[in-house]
Amino acid sequence: MTTEATTPDEIWRNPHAPVADRVSDLVARMTPQEKIAQLQGIWAGIDAAGEMAPHQHEFAVAPQDFAELTRHGIGQLTRVFGTRPIAPDVGAHTLARTQRQIIEASRFGIPAVAHEECLTGLAAWQATVYPSPLCWGATFEPDLVRRMAVRVGDSMRRLGIHQGLAPVLDVARDLRWGRIEETIGEDPHLVGTIGSAYVAGLESAGIVATLKHFAGYSASRAGRNHAPVSIGPREFADVILPPFEMALRTGVRSVMNSYADNDGVPAAADAGLFTDRLRGEYGFTGTVVSDYFSVAFLHKLHGVAAGREDAAALALTAGIDVELPTVDCYGEPLLEGLYFERVDAALVDRALTRVLTQKVELGLLDPGYSPAPGADLDLDDPESRALAREVAERSIVLLQNDGVLPLAGKRLAVVGPRADERGAMMGCYSFPMHVGVHHPDVEMGVEVTTVLEALRADHEVVFALGCPVLGGTDDEIAEAVEAARQADVCVVVLGDKAGLFGNGTSGEGCDATDLRLPGRQEELLEAVLGTGMPVVLVLLSGRPYDLSRQADRLAAVVCGFYPGQEGGPALAGVLSGRVNPSGRLPISFPGAGSSQPSTYLSAPLGKVTEISNVDPTPLFPFGHGLSYAPATWVTAGCEEREWPTDGICTVHVVVRNDLDVPTTEVVQVYLHDPVAEVARPVRQLIGALKVDLTPGQTRTVTARLHADLTSYTGRAGHRQVDAGDVELHVGTSSANIHTALKLTMTGPTRRVGFDRTVTPEFTASS
C-alpha cells in the first residue's frame, strides 16, 4: 500500500467529515481501474445457478480467481443467499468472509454493497415467505405492509445485506403479462400508497430499497415480457409515473431501470428519464442500478449500441450508476473507452460519486466497520410467521357467495391441482419457486400447510387431484367428479404454477396468450359444476382469469392470489368462517367478451358503448370484495360546495356494524371529472381507508382531500388543477358507488409538479 492511502488525516476516512468532502477526497485518489470497479457487481455462482435472469447463461463466464476480480475493489455482491440453498448462518459468515477478502484485496479496502431480492420476503433458504404484492394491494392497508417490510428488512440487516431489490411499482396494464403477480395492482394511487409503505418499512430497517422498474415496463405490447412499449406521454405521466413519485418522497435510496423501450428508446439509455426527470425534476440523489444484464441488452437485444463499450457509454450518459448483476460492459470495455477518451471520464466520476456517497451513508467506509453478522439468524421465527398469516388473512378476497360460505359442518370434496401443493402459495420471486425448484433434493426450508391439509383440520374431506396445472387425463377428471358427488360442497382449488421464462404459467417470462385458466382446469371446473353440487372456487394465481362462463353457476369464489407460506391456514380460516374476509381487489377480473389490455381507468369510450360490440365491463371490478357481515353505510357528505383549486375538501362517511360479529369496510373515494382538456378516466381512486368495526360500533371516516389530487396532465404537457365541476364518488368499489358528491372547483388553473400533495389525510373516529 502507498503512504498516501494510509495517512491518518485523510478526509475520506474521517467519519465526522461531511459526506461530500469524504467522497470527493476518495474519488481524487482513485485510479481509473479502481473507479470502474465500484460500478460493477460480481455474481459468484452465476455459471452454476438455475435460470434466474433473462439470458443469464449467455453472460455466465468461467469462474475466475476472486482476488483477481476484486484487486481494484468491487461495487456490489449479487445474491449470496439467493443463488442456491444455503443455511442462514453459513451464508452470513460466508458473506462476512467475502467482505473481509474484498477489504484486504484492494488498496482502499472498500466493502461491497450486498443485494438480494425481497419481493415476498427475503429470497433466501429458510426465510419466511410472505404474500405476494397483489396480496399487499388487496389488503388496502399501508401500515400492515410497512410492518411486513420492517420485519423483512430486519432479517436482511442481521445477515449483512445492504440493499433489497423491491418493491415493483409497475402499474398493471395487461393481464396477459407474466409479471402481473409482482405488481400491486392496476391503480396508480393504490400502487403508490402501498409501495411507499413497503419502501418506508425497508428503509427504516436500514436496508436500501430499490424501486422497480423505472419506467413503463408493464405496458409492453400484448403483455409480452421485454416487448416494446407504445404509450403516450400523458398516460406515462398520469398512470406509470405517480407510484414512483410517491415512493421517492419516502427517502428511497435506489432505483432500477425498466428492460423495455418506450417509443424506441430503451430505459437504460434514456437520459431524459433518469437524468432530466428522475434527478433533475424529482431531485433523486441515490443510486441507479441496472436491471440484470440490461446494459448489455442495449447492444445484444435493442440494437442501439454498436458493442459493449458503446452500451456502457450510453448507460452512463443516461444515468445508470451500477451494472448488475456481474461485470460485463462496465468492465474492460468501459476501461478501454476511458483510455482512448471515447467515454467521458466525468460520467464515471458522476456515477462513482453516487456509489461512494451511498457507501459512506451506510457506514461502509467508517474505521469501525465490521462485516460480522448479527447474533439472531432465525429467518422464520414465530413472529414472522404470525405476521405472514395476518397479511394473508387480510388480503383474501371473497368475490362471490350465495350463502354456502362459511363451510361450517359440511362434508367437503376438495379437488384441483393447487389444493395439495405447497408451491401453490408462492410467486416466482419466492425462494422456493425462484431457486428451490432447481434443487429438488433440498427441502423447501419453511413449513407450508396446503389448503387441503388446513381444511382437513376442521372438516371431513375427500380429495381428488382432477388434473395438474397443465395436462391431465380424462380419468383424473372423472375421479374428481366422483369425489364431488360424495360431499355436501365441492371446493375446487385452481390457478397457476409460478415460474420463470416459460417454466410456469405465471411469473417473469411466463406470459399468457389468453385469460382462460391454464391447461384443462376450466374443463375440470365445468365437469364438477355438471354434478349439480354446490361448488366453491378458490383461486391461487398470479393474475385474474376469465371466469365469466362459470361465474353464475358457482356458489362462491375466493381469491387468494399467492398468499405466502401461511396462505393455507388463512384460506381455511376464511372458508370456515373463523376469519371474516376483508380483502378488496387491487385489479379487475375480466368479463365475458372483454379484451386486453383493459383496466378500470378508462375514459368514456373505453367503457361499454353502442359503437362497439365488445363489452369490456369486468366480471369483478377494482376495489370489489364481499364480507360475511357487511357494514351498514349510514351517510356520506361533504362540508363544502366549492373547492378552491389550491384548497381542501373534507368528506365524512359514517359506517356502522349492525351485526354481532366484527367486520371491516374499505371506504373508497374516486374522482369523476366530467369536463377536462383531455379525455380522462370515468372514475379514478384518490383515497381509501380500511376500517375495522366491532359489533354495534359506528365510526366516522373523515377524508381531507387536497385539490392537487384532481390534477392531470393537460394539453401543454404539464400537470394542472382545473376550475370547474367535479364529483367525488364514495363507495365500496369502482363500480359500487354509494354517494356522488358534486362540487365546483373555484379559482385559477394551477400548474403543479413533483411537490404536489399526492395522498389525502384520513381519520376514523368512533
Side-chain angles (χ1 to χ4, degrees):
M1 292 188 181
T2 66
T3 303
E4 179 188 59
T6 58
T7 302
D9 61 354
E10 291 171 317
I11 297 174
W12 74 271
R13 293 185 184 275
N14 181 1
H16 304 295
V19 172
D21 292 350
R22 295 179 68 185
V23 171
S24 178
D25 179 59
L26 183 53
V27 169
R29 298 173 186 274
M30 299 175 78
T31 66
Q33 292 94 334
E34 289 167 335
K35 291 179 177 182
I36 289 174
Q38 291 298 315
L39 312 185
Q40 304 168 355
I42 292 178
W43 191 355
I46 180 178
D47 55 310
E51 192 75 15
M52 300 179 200
H55 295 266
Q56 172 185 319
H57 292 297
E58 292 181 24
F59 296 93
V61 295
Q64 301 178 49
D65 180 73
F66 190 79
E68 176 62 25
L69 283 172
T70 59
R71 68 190 179 96
H72 297 298
I74 197 68
Q76 292 231 1
L77 288 172
T78 294
R79 300 180 67 174
V80 173
F81 297 87
T83 297
R84 63 196 185 284
I86 182 171
D89 58 337
V90 174
H93 287 94
T94 298
L95 175 56
R97 183 173 64 251
T98 301
Q99 290 282 32
R100 285 191 288 270
Q101 290 174 329
I102 292 170
I103 292 169
E104 293 166 1
S106 57
R107 186 162 68 105
F108 293 104
I110 303 171
V113 168
H115 74 256
E116 293 287 350
E117 299 285 357
C118 58
L119 192 64
T120 59
L122 172 60
W125 193 50
Q126 298 182 347
T128 301
V129 180
Y130 290 90
S132 66
L134 279 177
C135 296
W136 310 353
T139 68
F140 273 73
E141 290 185 77
D143 188 61
L144 178 59
V145 172
R146 182 196 58 79
R147 289 197 288 120
M148 178 187 70
V150 169
R151 195 142 197 103
V152 172
D154 285 343
S155 68
M156 298 172 75
R157 189 188 65 253
R158 295 198 306 270
L159 295 173
I161 300 166
H162 307 103
Q163 182 167 359
L165 303 187
V168 171
L169 297 184
D170 297 297
V171 178
R173 302 298 286 164
D174 189 328
L175 298 179
R176 296 171 296 182
W177 191 44
R179 302 190 79 167
I180 286 293
E181 65 170 70
E182 298 178 52
T183 73
I184 296 169
E186 71 180 60
D187 178 83
H189 181 83
L190 179 66
V191 173
T193 302
I194 298 294
S196 296
Y198 186 88
V199 168
L202 208 62
E203 290 278 356
S204 72
I207 299 299
V208 175
T210 309
L211 307 185
K212 299 161 62 173
H213 304 83
F214 197 70
Y217 187 23
S218 58
S220 60
R221 292 178 191 162
R224 295 179 60 248
N225 197 34
H226 291 211
V229 173
S230 300
I231 59 176
R234 191 165 292 105
E235 180 181 352
F236 192 74
D238 289 357
V239 177
I240 301 299
L241 291 180
F244 293 95
E245 294 175 311
M246 294 169 73
L248 285 166
R249 296 162 180 263
T250 66
V252 67
R253 288 178 285 175
S254 194
V255 173
M256 177 180 280
N257 67 283
S258 162
Y259 279 122
D261 71 76
N262 187 15
D263 196 26
V265 181
D270 192 347
L273 183 63
F274 282 98
T275 297
D276 298 340
R277 190 187 294 266
L278 180 64
R279 296 196 183 274
E281 182 181 344
Y282 296 168
F284 178 67
T285 59
T287 58
V288 174
V289 299
S290 76
D291 206 342
Y292 285 13
F293 308 116
S294 62
V295 176
F297 288 172
L298 297 176
H299 162 54
K300 293 277 189 178
L301 300 181
H302 292 292
V304 298
R308 293 192 299 165
E309 178 190 314
D310 193 21
L314 280 173
L316 274 174
T317 301
I320 306 294
D321 302 315
V322 180
E323 181 184 25
L324 298 182
T326 198
V327 59
D328 188 66
C329 300
Y330 280 19
E332 288 297 326
L334 179 54
L335 186 62
E336 185 173 324
L338 278 178
Y339 182 82
F340 289 104
E341 298 184 345
R342 294 189 295 262
V343 176
D344 187 352
L347 294 175
V348 172
D349 285 356
R350 182 179 71 173
L352 175 64
T353 297
R354 295 165 181 163
V355 169
L356 293 179
T357 297
Q358 193 157 93
K359 288 192 174 187
V360 169
E361 292 171 346
L362 287 168
L364 300 185
L365 273 65
D366 290 351
Y369 168 74
S370 170
D376 180 11
L377 299 181
D378 183 356
L379 304 183
D380 190 33
D381 55 88
E383 292 80 8
S384 296
R385 293 194 298 272
L387 183 54
R389 173 82 67 90
E390 183 181 358
V391 177
E393 289 178 345
R394 301 282 285 185
S395 70
I396 293 167
V397 187
L398 177 61
L399 298 177
Q400 181 173 302
N401 185 24
D402 69 358
V404 70
L405 296 180
L407 292 171
K410 298 182 174 67
R411 291 178 300 122
L412 304 181
V414 177
V415 306
R418 303 286 82 190
D420 197 29
E421 172 54 53
R422 293 189 296 164
M425 304 295 169
M426 305 174 194
C428 76
Y429 267 80
S430 66
F431 185 89
M433 304 308 294
H434 201 77
V435 180
V437 291
H438 302 294
H439 303 270
D441 55 324
V442 178
E443 292 183 355
M444 184 173 282
V446 292
E447 293 183 9
V448 181
T449 302
T450 68
V451 174
L452 175 64
E453 292 167 341
L455 286 173
R456 276 181 168 157
D458 294 317
H459 301 273
E460 178 186 341
V461 175
V462 58
F463 170 68
L465 175 67
C467 66
V469 171
L470 297 174
T473 67
D474 291 347
D475 288 343
E476 288 174 317
I477 292 177
E479 290 174 8
V481 169
E482 182 57 32
R485 290 193 174 113
Q486 299 175 30
D488 299 324
V489 176
C490 182
V491 177
V492 185
V493 189
L494 306 178
D496 283 310
K497 174 188 174 183
L500 292 165
F501 311 113
N503 292 314
T505 60
S506 173
E508 185 174 357
C510 297
D511 309 316
T513 57
D514 62 51
L515 295 176
R516 290 176 178 264
L517 287 161
R520 301 185 70 179
Q521 292 184 81
E522 184 172 345
E523 185 180 348
L524 169 63
L525 183 59
E526 285 287 357
V528 173
L529 283 167
T531 65
M533 305 299 296
V535 175
V536 174
L537 172 61
V538 175
L539 279 175
L540 294 172
S541 64
R543 61 166 65 86
Y545 282 103
D546 181 0
L547 307 177
S548 60
R549 290 169 293 280
Q550 295 82 34
D552 61 351
R553 291 173 286 148
L554 289 166
V557 182
V558 176
C559 179
F561 294 116
Y562 286 132
Q565 72 182 66
E566 292 292 324
L571 281 161
V574 167
L575 292 170
S576 66
R578 288 192 306 274
V579 176
N580 189 9
S582 64
R584 301 294 187 266
L585 282 182
I587 192 166
S588 306
F589 269 66
S594 69
S595 57
Q596 287 293 313
S598 178
T599 76
Y600 94 99
L601 294 171
S602 296
L605 287 176
K607 303 295 184 180
V608 60
T609 69
E610 296 179 355
I611 54 178
S612 172
N613 64 318
V614 176
D615 183 354
T617 304
L619 178 65
F620 301 117
F622 173 84
H624 170 73
L626 303 178
S627 169
Y628 296 146
T632 299
W633 280 59
V634 179
T635 185
C638 184
E639 292 182 0
E640 301 87 6
R641 296 284 184 173
E642 294 186 344
W643 188 359
T645 56
D646 61 353
I648 300 290
C649 166
T650 304
V651 173
H652 299 287
V653 179
V654 179
V655 290
R656 185 177 65 237
N657 182 4
D658 291 326
L659 303 172
D660 58 0
V661 294
T663 193
T664 300
E665 185 60 279
V666 179
V667 175
Q668 301 169 41
V669 182
Y670 295 86
L671 175 72
H672 171 59
D673 189 354
V675 179
E677 284 187 0
V678 299
R680 300 197 62 197
V682 171
R683 193 171 288 138
Q684 182 168 0
L685 185 74
I686 58 173
L689 184 68
K690 195 168 192 176
V691 182
D692 292 325
L693 297 160
T694 59
Q697 185 179 25
T698 298
R699 301 189 73 181
T700 299
V701 174
T702 300
R704 287 173 50 83
L705 307 166
H706 195 281
D708 288 358
L709 295 170
T710 70
S711 66
Y712 68 97
T713 302
R715 294 188 185 183
H718 57 250
R719 185 174 284 274
Q720 63 192 51
V721 178
D722 290 346
D725 293 336
V726 297
E727 294 180 12
L728 295 176
H729 292 178
V730 186
T732 56
S733 80
S734 59
N736 187 23
I737 302 303
H738 285 265
T739 306
L741 305 172
K742 297 183 178 181
L743 299 100
T744 299
M745 305 200 71
T746 59
T749 295
R750 292 176 53 241
R751 180 172 178 174
V752 297
F754 177 73
D755 61 349
R756 71 190 183 278
T757 299
V758 293
T759 54
E761 296 179 13
F762 272 107
T763 58
S765 58
S766 297

